[in-house]
Amino acid sequence: MMALDESWYSEIHGKDGSAFSFKIKEKLHEEQTEYQQIAIYQTETFGRLMVIDDCVMLTDRDNFLYHEMMSHPALFTHADPKRVVIIGGGDCGTMKEVLKHPGVEEAWQVEIDQRVTDLSEEYFPELCSANKDPRAHFYFGDGIAWMADQGEAAFDLIIVDSTDPVGPAAGLFTQAFFANCLKALKTGGIMVQQSESPIYHSDLIAGMHRDMKAAGFADTKTLDFPQPVYPSGWWSATMAAKGRDLNNFRETDIANKPFETLYYNLECHHKSLALPEFMKKALAK
Ligand code: SAM
């Protein structure tokens, strides 16, 4: 058995008895902010890597999978999304994808920790390339409190691009937060939230469906996608719709989308909605 020396960074998934390791060239930055510990590394094969509280957030090499799948399926499921809010998402990769949609008139990023965005502008400029778009707005504060303060029917789409459901993000995975999202959405509106690994966290995903329905959402659906650097290499996002179902999406618009993606397309959208047997069982419980 080969042991890894200190030139490797490992995210250890203690409860699941697994780990993912990167060969590191150098540590570029480390700081403890008011909210969390942020570290940035230059890796040998994944470009730059951002870690928050010992959890991998993103790498240059594979972040397109997550950012495209957190945004485009929900944007193309909505009939005509104009006002969008991203809760979390401090690296700005989701904002960049949202603003590729010409119909979006206004997008807000509500991130608790301004240092995540400042460091992303410095170390991940590619992800921040749309930050100067006049439609982009930034608010730094707690997304849970911010959502509670929103008026009724203010948004078409809410994207919750958060850290894992611990620390400042724990309250984003609750029925009370979902109820505030429901209130802030227009009828026909959609929320989509990162929902961890299908294989490691199917109970959490099932709980999100229950809590979203209990909050008053009319329909919920989970989509999945590969994410090599997250625990298990397989990730998910869960959508919830206000006053409509999630059975249809704008297939012709996807086929003719006026922008480039690296992963997302019509076939991948369909594929992402195919639920494996164990997930059907978990959601039926
Ligand atoms: N997709 C990534 C993952 O799962 O590893 C998350 C990327 S993004 C950097 C997550 C962001 O959520 C972090 O910058 C964190 O500060 C932010 N966040 C966590 N809790 C939050 C809250 N209550 N309100 C707003 N932002 C929050």
Side-chain angles (χ1 to χ4, degrees):
M1 190 168 63
M2 192 182 130
L4 301 179
D5 61 26
E6 68 279 1
S7 67
W8 291 79
Y9 172 83
S10 295
E11 181 187 332
I12 296 169
H13 320 134
K15 193 163 70 59
D16 300 296
S18 63
F20 190 88
S21 303
F22 300 88
K23 181 83 170 160
I24 296 300
K25 273 190 185 154
E26 66 175 310
K27 186 187 273 185
L28 299 171
H29 186 84
E30 186 170 36
E31 74 179 69
Q32 177 67 48
T33 73
E34 194 184 337
Y35 302 100
Q36 51 210 355
Q37 197 207 33
I38 309 175
I40 297 172
Y41 299 88
Q42 185 68 48
T43 72
E44 291 276 358
T45 57
F46 277 76
R48 289 184 173 170
L49 159 69
M50 181 192 282
V51 176
I52 293 183
D53 285 344
D54 294 323
C55 294
V56 169
M57 290 293 114
L58 62 96
T59 73
D60 278 330
R61 185 170 178 182
D62 76 339
N63 78 80
F64 67 92
L65 295 160
Y66 176 89
H67 289 131
E68 291 182 12
M69 292 306 284
M70 283 299 293
S71 51
H72 302 307
L75 281 153
F76 279 117
T77 302
H78 193 284
D80 186 19
K82 289 186 164 55
R83 294 198 81 214
V84 178
V85 57
I86 301 152
I87 302 291
D91 55 72
C92 307
T94 300
M95 174 68 96
K96 180 182 158 196
E97 295 304 319
V98 166
L99 292 175
K100 286 180 177 175
H101 290 247
V104 169
E105 293 173 356
E106 194 177 327
W108 282 85
Q109 181 184 288
V110 180
E111 162 62 53
I112 201 167
D113 190 347
Q114 183 163 0
R115 288 301 294 152
V116 177
T117 300
D118 292 346
L119 290 168
S120 296
E121 284 179 339
E122 188 174 348
Y123 292 103
F124 298 90
E126 169 66 15
L127 294 181
C128 299
S129 57
N131 286 6
K132 297 245 172 340
D133 187 310
R135 299 172 296 161
H137 303 273
F138 298 88
Y139 173 85
F140 294 103
D142 180 11
I144 302 163
W146 186 89
M147 192 59 74
D149 284 347
Q150 297 311 299
E152 280 188 34
F155 292 99
D156 299 302
L157 186 71
I158 297 169
I159 301 176
V160 187
D161 176 0
S162 76
T163 38
D164 298 335
V166 289
L172 296 169
F173 291 78
T174 62
Q175 189 181 322
F177 175 70
F178 300 150
N180 285 330
C181 290
L182 183 82
K183 184 186 70 158
L185 282 171
K186 297 176 190 167
T187 301
I190 294 173
M191 79 174 282
V192 59
Q193 178 153 359
Q194 79 86 4
S195 50
E196 310 280 301
S197 161
I199 190 112
Y200 285 171
H201 309 114
S202 61
D203 287 347
L204 173 109
I205 297 170
M208 286 175 70
H209 282 256
R210 277 194 301 276
D211 289 344
M212 285 166 159
K213 291 253 176 67
F217 281 98
D219 195 15
T220 55
K221 268 196 200 317
T222 289
L223 54 92
D224 67 4
F225 50 93
Q227 194 65 59
V229 304
Y230 285 176
S232 84
W234 187 19
W235 217 242
S236 73
T238 296
M239 295 188 286
K242 178 171 179 172
R244 55 161 288 182
D245 65 42
L246 289 163
N247 294 333
N248 298 304
F249 45 94
R250 292 183 282 127
E251 303 205 25
T252 309
D253 289 348
I254 298 169
N256 298 302
K257 64 185 167 53
F259 54 82
E260 286 192 2
T261 47
L262 289 171
Y263 180 76
Y264 179 77
N265 58 27
L266 185 54
E267 295 82 359
C268 288
H269 190 140
H270 278 289
K271 182 173 73 169
S272 73
L273 293 169
L275 272 187
E277 286 303 300
F278 77 89
M279 282 296 292
K280 285 187 185 171
K281 282 192 187 128
L283 297 186
K285 264 195 234 158

